Amino acid sequence: MSCWAILQGVSYIKVHYGCLALPQRFVQDRRVMLIVNDITYRLGARTLFDKASATIPTGARVGFVGRNGTGKTTLFRLIRWELGSESGEIQLSRGFRIGSVAQEAPGGPESLIETVLAADTERTALLAEAETAKDPQRISEIHIRLADIDAHSAPARAASVLHGLGFDSAAQLRPCSDFSGGWRMRVALAAVLFSAPDLLLLDEPTNYLDLEGTLWLMDYLARYPHTVIVISHDRDLLNQSVDQIMHLTEGKLRLYKGGYDNFEKQRAEEQEVQARFAKKQAEERKHLEAFINRFKAKASKARQAQSRVKRLEKLKMITPIIESDVVPFEFPSPERPLSPPLIALENVSVGYNEKPVLSRLSLSIADDDRIGLLGSNGNGKSTFAKLIGGRLNPLSGALKKSSKMTVAYFAQHQLDELTPTGTPYTHIRALTPEASEAHTRARVARIGFSGARADTPITSLSGGEKARLLMGIATFNGPHLLILDEPTNHLDIDSRVALMDAINDYDGAIILISHDRFLLESCADRLWFVGEGTVKPFDGDLDAYRAKILETPTSQKSDRKADSASGGDPIRPTKKVNPGSIKKKIEATEQRMQKISDLIARVDAVLADPDTFKKDPEKAATLSRQQAELHDSLAAAEEEWLTLTNELEERA
């Protein structure tokens, strides 16, 4: 696949301008990157932009927000000159390059590193010309230019970007065709980031990333040296990575200084002020109309009445800012709660084709747990979710759960499982075949499809609407355990807040997999790390996890495993170690683990006696601290044991 296919729009502006006879002009002031000047654009009967204007300075990092369907992606297409506006113009700095990710991901035989390097079209062209150039003067010019653009460090820079997005050294040498669509989209994103365009346009770049990739991208964008406009519904990204927010509403664009929290605060203040002015104006209008109606027929008051008519005509209508309501999510809670734990795992291993992906799982889930799963894609989060959800059986160990427990499972790939010829009504009707039509439509309305929207064809629903419908179907009967795998990918910010409210109102247990840090912080009470072949509680909050991801040197980070389209195994480097010494270390670690476990059991027995706290509160407090320290020591020993056993397995 050519670089052009990956970097749609990455080229010199004059190329575009020469190809399309549109009214765009160039900005002469180098301090300004982009001017949107009074553009109007309609899509059918809908007016997406109504004399909208905005000025983006050079070097600005702008978060572009607005409800789904308002026209954010359309503005990107207007900026890239793929569409022409009905009126107004878009001005761009002359000679600057625009970069964005094409919708079609690369999938050819080229390796990932070759695909990303090809994004630098100038370097590629110069290197090709250097192979055939004969003129000494031209050869000298080529090598000077290659030095100017730091061409020799390009492979290292490309590898760094790929690594940040989840590709280890071995994966970078594999062809694009080896990877699934989501991973190839990461390659396309890596290519456009590596090319470092003067104006970077990103449309929901975190949709195909895990939390680790999202954290890396947030840090990368915060340090990006050129102009960025990013469409995103990720509140954390909009707070950490941008310095301005551009809001699209009612066909108008407006820029706000600061991140999303600051924008939300300013927006609320504007709503309050405008509502106050609207109320005051309504009272004044009512007073003027009352005077006119009372005295317009009296000759003695005719002049005063006429002056008030003129004043009323000049009184500009002020309407309060009213955001369209977000339909709430509703997750029915289980009718009959079950006694905890819902699920208990004892030394469980799980995987595919008798080959474990995760092992040594000894965990329990209570009836009201809110658990957020951390870990890179490919480390086994979905495998663990399938185990808990009953879609995979353990390969070994014991998994205990109540026979009465019901589980709801939502994953993004299920969007394709909806019947294309159906509607929200027909899907819910299939769950309630004996209910009356009125009752069924009431249930459909509670999910978020009231009135005529209940009969909307599935093919006409947006991604967010399909996700809403699938969540409603999954939770229809009030499950005891709800598993949500990337539930926010197609939801705007307000809908994400509605989802958070539904999760927090739900009385059952939840397993949450998400790259949305704000969602995890708002809804998860416990964090479990999935990695290194197991699942274990994470000792710390998301700030600590972010620091762990970003501050660990690249050379010391554990290589992430990118799932290939064929589900192939990750490539691990072979370590030259002495198996005998590893076995001795494993035995010593096992003995230490046993001693710590015995101590924990003795402390637990003492603390289990209620009289301990009554007779000697200080001793009880000391024992409680020791209990926590022992658990930490056991966790560290278990991690060491796991590392050693992995080394031994790799050696074998």
Side-chain angles (χ1 to χ4, degrees):
M1 176 171 289
S2 68
C3 178
W4 180 258
I6 301 166
L7 303 175
Q8 184 177 1
V10 178
S11 184
Y12 289 102
I13 296 302
K14 61 183 180 183
V15 174
H16 290 283
Y17 191 69
C19 293
L20 299 177
L22 298 177
Q24 284 86 351
R25 299 176 181 174
F26 295 116
V27 179
Q28 301 303 320
D29 188 348
R30 303 285 288 186
R31 294 172 298 179
V32 177
M33 169 59 67
L34 169 70
I35 296 176
V36 179
N37 187 19
D38 279 342
I39 64 166
T40 297
Y41 183 84
R42 292 180 178 86
L43 184 63
R46 295 172 57 211
T47 300
L48 297 182
F49 298 97
D50 182 15
K51 296 187 179 300
S53 297
T55 299
I56 307 297
T58 298
R61 295 187 299 275
V62 180
F64 191 11
V65 302
R67 289 284 175 82
N68 283 342
T70 53
K72 300 186 296 296
T73 300
T74 299
L75 181 61
F76 274 14
R77 296 190 67 191
L78 289 166
I79 292 172
R80 293 195 300 258
W81 301 353
E82 296 169 6
L83 298 173
S85 60
E86 296 177 17
S87 62
E89 61 185 11
I90 292 179
Q91 303 176 26
L92 289 155
S93 290
R94 183 183 295 275
F96 279 23
R97 299 174 302 135
I98 304 176
S100 62
V101 180
Q103 293 183 353
E104 182 180 355
E110 298 83 8
S111 69
L112 306 192
I113 193 72
E114 289 172 341
T115 301
V116 173
L117 286 171
D120 189 340
T121 53
E122 183 182 9
R123 174 184 175 275
T124 302
L126 288 171
L127 289 175
E129 187 179 356
E131 295 291 331
T132 58
K134 303 296 184 183
D135 178 43
Q137 179 65 27
R138 180 54 187 160
I139 293 174
S140 175
E141 291 173 353
I142 290 172
H143 286 285
I144 290 173
R145 181 56 183 163
L146 286 170
D148 289 342
I149 63 176
D150 199 16
H152 298 294
S153 70
R157 288 185 281 115
S160 176
V161 173
L162 281 167
H163 191 281
L165 293 175
F167 299 99
D168 61 27
S169 301
Q172 293 175 20
L173 300 178
R174 290 161 57 187
C176 291
S177 57
D178 272 8
F179 296 86
S180 62
W183 286 95
R184 292 204 300 269
M185 289 303 298
R186 293 195 189 199
V187 179
L189 176 60
V192 75
L193 294 178
F194 169 73
S195 70
D198 302 291
L199 174 58
L200 177 61
L201 304 178
L202 296 178
D203 192 345
E204 292 290 357
T206 62
N207 271 2
Y208 296 97
L209 301 180
D210 50 23
L211 179 61
E212 290 71 19
T214 298
L215 291 173
W216 179 88
L217 180 64
M218 287 166 48
D219 184 66
Y220 187 92
L221 293 181
R223 296 180 289 105
Y224 191 72
H226 308 303
T227 310
V228 181
I229 305 177
V230 54
I231 299 172
S232 179
H233 298 302
D234 189 316
R235 183 188 293 256
D236 208 40
L237 183 149
L238 294 172
N239 278 325
Q240 300 290 334
S241 303
V242 304
D243 48 36
Q244 295 186 53
I245 296 292
M246 183 164 65
H247 184 218
L248 172 58
T249 182
E250 297 180 347
K252 302 293 186 183
L253 295 168
R254 181 169 176 190
L255 282 163
Y256 295 79
K257 293 288 186 182
Y260 187 83
D261 286 348
N262 188 60
F263 153 74
E264 202 171 50
K265 179 181 178 182
Q266 292 182 66
R267 185 73 174 161
E269 291 172 351
E270 288 175 2
Q271 289 175 315
E272 183 179 352
V273 169
Q274 198 153 342
R276 194 161 56 242
F277 274 110
K279 181 180 179 181
K280 183 178 180 181
Q281 187 193 66
E283 292 173 352
E284 183 179 1
R285 183 178 293 276
K286 183 178 179 181
H287 176 74
L288 290 172
E289 289 174 344
F291 185 93
I292 293 168
N293 292 334
R294 183 179 180 184
F295 296 111
K296 64 182 179 181
K298 292 187 177 182
S300 60
K301 294 288 186 179
R303 181 174 296 177
Q304 292 92 327
Q306 188 60 33
S307 67
R308 282 166 173 77
V309 169
K310 292 180 180 179
R311 182 178 173 186
L312 186 63
E313 290 173 348
K314 293 180 179 180
L315 195 63
K316 186 178 180 181
M317 178 66 72
I318 298 176
T319 56
I321 300 173
I322 301 175
E323 298 285 4
S324 56
D325 293 332
V326 177
V327 179
F329 288 86
E330 182 178 329
F331 298 152
S333 297
E335 291 184 3
R336 296 181 180 179
L338 301 176
S339 300
L342 291 181
I343 298 177
L345 307 177
E346 296 180 8
N347 200 28
V348 168
S349 65
V350 62
Y352 307 90
N353 301 321
E354 302 302 320
K355 186 171 183 179
V357 173
L358 300 171
S359 57
R360 289 188 53 78
L361 304 179
S362 296
L363 303 160
S364 65
I365 299 175
D367 59 328
D368 60 350
D369 264 340
R370 300 288 196 273
I371 299 170
L373 297 186
L374 307 177
S376 305
N377 284 353
N379 279 356
K381 296 194 298 292
S382 294
T383 299
F384 181 73
K386 289 175 182 177
L387 171 70
I388 298 301
R391 300 191 174 196
L392 278 177
N393 294 320
L395 297 177
S396 63
L399 187 154
K400 301 176 183 179
K401 62 181 178 181
S402 171
S403 60
K404 297 180 180 179
M405 184 184 71
T406 56
V407 179
Y409 191 100
F410 170 86
Q412 282 299 321
H413 64 81
Q414 294 174 325
L415 296 183
D416 297 329
E417 296 177 8
L418 292 170
T419 306
T421 57
T423 66
Y425 172 78
T426 59
H427 280 80
I428 301 303
R429 183 66 177 170
L431 301 176
T432 57
E434 298 179 358
S436 65
E437 180 176 350
H439 180 269
T440 303
R441 289 193 176 276
R443 287 299 302 266
V444 177
R446 284 169 58 185
I447 292 174
F449 300 90
S450 59
R453 295 183 68 228
D455 299 311
T456 304
I458 296 300
T459 53
S460 299
L461 296 180
S462 67
E465 289 171 328
K466 290 178 182 177
R468 174 183 289 277
L469 176 58
L470 270 172
M471 288 186 211
I473 293 172
T475 60
F476 190 80
N477 293 314
H480 298 95
L481 172 63
L482 175 57
I483 300 173
L484 297 176
D485 190 346
E486 296 294 356
T488 63
N489 271 4
H490 297 282
L491 302 181
D492 57 34
I493 291 179
D494 295 325
S495 296
R496 292 184 185 204
V497 173
L499 176 63
M500 294 174 198
D501 292 339
I503 290 173
N504 290 327
D505 290 341
Y506 171 68
D507 289 336
I510 287 182
I511 302 290
L512 187 58
I513 303 171
S514 178
H515 65 261
D516 189 322
R517 177 178 166 179
F518 189 75
L519 178 71
L520 288 171
E521 286 183 327
S522 301
C523 299
D525 298 328
R526 303 170 68 187
L527 298 175
W528 287 359
F529 176 72
V530 183
E532 300 173 347
T534 192
V535 181
K536 57 188 176 183
F538 179 74
D539 185 18
D541 57 13
L542 284 170
D543 284 332
Y545 188 66
R546 180 178 185 273
K548 175 184 176 182
I549 294 298
L550 297 181
E551 293 178 6
T552 304
T554 300
S555 60
Q556 296 178 9
K557 284 185 180 179
S558 59
D559 285 339
R560 298 193 208 161
K561 283 75 70 178
D563 290 332
S564 69
S566 61
D569 299 323
I571 300 173
R572 296 172 181 258
T574 302
K575 300 181 180 181
K576 296 181 179 180
V577 291
N578 185 347
S581 64
I582 294 178
K583 289 180 180 179
K584 291 180 180 179
K585 290 180 181 179
I586 289 175
E587 291 173 359
T589 305
E590 287 175 343
Q591 292 175 3
R592 188 165 75 254
M593 289 165 57
Q594 185 59 51
K595 289 180 181 179
I596 296 172
S597 297
D598 292 341
L599 287 172
I600 290 175
R602 291 165 58 184
V603 173
D604 287 347
V606 176
L607 292 177
D609 185 359
D611 292 337
T612 301
F613 294 86
K614 295 179 181 178
K615 295 179 180 179
D616 195 343
E618 291 185 4
K619 179 182 178 181
T622 301
L623 286 173
S624 296
R625 288 194 298 271
Q626 290 177 349
Q627 183 189 48
E629 292 170 357
L630 286 169
H631 278 290
D632 289 342
S633 298
L634 181 60
E638 288 175 341
E639 184 173 358
E640 182 181 348
W641 182 92
L642 183 62
T643 301
L644 291 169
T645 54
N646 282 340
E647 287 184 11
L648 188 61
E649 289 174 0
E650 289 169 358
R651 177 61 179 169

